Amino acid sequence: MLAITCSWSATGSPTPRHSTVAATTPGAAHWRSDDLATEPGFHAWQHHYVSATDLHDPALDRLLLCVADDMTDGVILTEAACAWAVHPYDGGVDLFAESTKVRDQLASRYAAWMPSTPQGT
């Protein structure tokens, strides 16, 4: 499994991640940087770092706690082919399943976890 973590800056040069986040993924390598600016003359760069992890790694629990405690954002868990993705955030988690069939199976299995809105969002 891969963990993608982020740092942010006003320039395209990668910046270090928060030290607590970096400690959960010490082997992370800079993957790419994206300018998320929506207004002319304003730059908001997000720098993505990728590292290998697994479900049994205690560092993954620490990374998820960083997300839950709002110490970081933009964390994505996936596998090498990116057939699925998990995006945790301080208020929940978004799951991107490999197919609509798997999505529907997950929604049925974990219906109690779903928001009560008709859209499920």
Side-chain angles (χ1 to χ4, degrees), residues 25-104:
T25 53
H30 178 254
W31 171 41
R32 60 180 288 149
S33 295
D34 297 299
D35 189 356
L36 306 178
T38 58
E39 298 179 25
F42 178 77
H43 297 282
W45 287 86
Q46 186 175 38
H47 310 285
H48 307 272
Y49 294 81
V50 65
S51 61
T53 188
D54 67 65
L55 290 176
H56 305 291
D57 186 346
L60 179 59
D61 289 341
R62 293 193 305 274
L63 176 59
L64 293 174
L65 283 173
C66 287
V67 173
D69 291 341
D70 206 16
M71 295 175 64
T72 191
D73 192 16
V75 171
I76 297 173
L77 304 173
T78 189
E79 44 80 47
C82 295
W84 56 266
V86 175
H87 173 57
Y89 49 93
D90 65 335
V93 63
D94 291 331
L95 299 172
F96 301 89
E98 63 189 68
S99 68
T100 54
K101 178 181 177 182
V102 171
R103 179 203 61 202
D104 293 345

Side-chain angles (χ1 to χ4, degrees), residues 104-121:
D104 293 345
Q105 289 171 339
L106 289 168
S108 177
R109 183 172 182 180
Y110 299 103
W113 296 6
M114 298 291 288
S116 58
T117 61
Q119 303 86 357
T121 59

